[in-house]
Amino acid sequence: MPNVTFIADDGTETVLDVAVGTSIMEAAVMSNVDGIMGECGGSINCATCHVYVQNAGGFALPDVGEVENEMLDATAAERRPESRLSCQLIMSEAMAGLIVRLPDAQY
């Protein structure tokens, strides 16, 4: 199973095996990763699953859609070029080894 590393604002790392087809947000919420709220359950309506993608080398992430782009403008933490909503990152074998940093705040 491919894995994802979540790096908290304080540097703490959590590595999760994530089933293909599962969103990064769902995996984080189901595993109680501190710093991912996912309040809207993945309906792109809250931006409480904001992450900074640290490495996307070697694989392509899906493009940021129009609604995700709008929600990224409403994040509690600074929006950066590497900002994504983790509910829109659906795990694939190609994404194995993905590393995401968590912002200092989600709301």
Side-chain angles (χ1 to χ4, degrees), residues 13-97:
E13 293 187 14
T14 303
V15 179
L16 298 179
D17 291 329
V18 180
V20 171
T22 302
S23 76
I24 304 306
M25 180 275 299
E26 290 172 313
V29 169
M30 291 179 356
S31 298
N32 297 313
V33 172
D34 192 31
I36 297 285
M37 307 296 293
E39 289 182 352
C40 72
S43 62
I44 323 173
N45 198 32
C46 71
T48 62
C49 66
H50 178 212
V51 296
Y52 301 116
V53 175
Q54 181 171 315
N55 75 325
F59 55 87
L61 293 176
D63 291 336
V64 175
E66 183 179 336
V67 176
E68 180 182 5
N69 189 47
E70 290 175 15
M71 291 308 301
L72 285 168
D73 284 338
T75 58
E78 173 190 11
R79 180 181 181 166
R80 301 179 188 162
E82 66 272 21
S83 288
R84 292 300 303 264
L85 296 182
S86 59
C87 67
Q88 298 305 295
L89 300 176
I90 308 302
M91 194 64 182
S92 67
E93 289 289 345
M95 291 170 56

Side-chain angles (χ1 to χ4, degrees), residues 94-105:
M95 291 170 56
L98 178 68
I99 299 171
V100 296
R101 290 194 170 274
L102 305 176
D104 60 356

